[in-house]
Amino acid sequence: MAYEINVPGNSWSEQTVTLDGGLFSNELKYKERTERWYLTLKDNTGVNLLTEKKLVDGQVITGLYDLPGLSGAIAVQRNYGRDSYPTWDTLGRDKAFSLIYLTEAEYTMLLQTGENVNYVSRGR
């Protein structure tokens, strides 16, 4: 089952997360001008792997990139509602959208079946 990444209730946060047994720095930023959340991912030495990727429903954020130490994928999951992107108060635990990490097996299944992130991460 997919791992849900904690989203603090601030417009900017940086936290360390363990993905595939490796440490990564996860920076989340909410920009009021665009009313969108953005993710920056760094390795354990502080090197940027991804910079300010916009969070959108069903999007596999890391899907187009071969990131060192990361065999799965970070994605945005819609838990309920019809919005197409998370807003200030709709991203996080028990909210309309979650930031999740799919294991390599889950991500491979997603690619093979063509299903969306919401379908795979809920374990069918």
Side-chain angles (χ1 to χ4, degrees):
M1 192 67 130
Y3 166 74
E4 183 173 355
I5 298 171
N6 184 44
V7 176
N10 304 321
S11 60
W12 178 88
S13 67
E14 189 168 14
Q15 61 186 336
T16 301
V17 293
T18 302
L19 306 171
D20 287 336
L23 294 177
F24 295 87
S25 177
N26 167 7
E27 179 184 351
L28 288 169
K29 186 184 299 183
Y30 184 77
K31 295 184 179 182
E32 289 200 25
R33 185 180 59 79
T34 59
E35 297 182 340
R36 300 283 202 282
W37 282 99
Y38 296 85
L39 171 72
T40 295
L41 186 68
K42 301 175 186 178
D43 68 12
N44 64 349
T45 65
V47 173
N48 282 356
L49 302 174
L50 295 173
T51 304
E52 291 197 1
K53 297 300 177 191
K54 188 177 356 180
L55 304 186
V56 178
D57 173 35
Q59 174 189 31
V60 179
I61 301 162
T62 58
L64 299 176
Y65 308 96
D66 184 20
L67 304 176
L70 202 62
S71 59
I74 297 174
V76 177
Q77 169 183 288
R78 181 169 19 112
N79 300 316
Y80 58 84
R82 296 184 183 266
D83 293 335
S84 59
Y85 60 88
T87 58
W88 164 246
D89 59 349
T90 63
L91 179 66
R93 288 191 198 275
D94 301 322
K95 295 187 178 179
F97 296 92
S98 298
L99 187 62
I100 61 169
Y101 181 73
L102 300 164
T103 64
E104 183 177 15
E106 290 170 323
Y107 183 52
T108 300
M109 183 173 82
L110 176 78
L111 293 174
Q112 290 174 345
T113 62
E115 297 292 339
N116 70 34
V117 171
N118 303 319
Y119 180 78
V120 174
S121 61
R122 291 200 175 125
R124 292 188 190 208

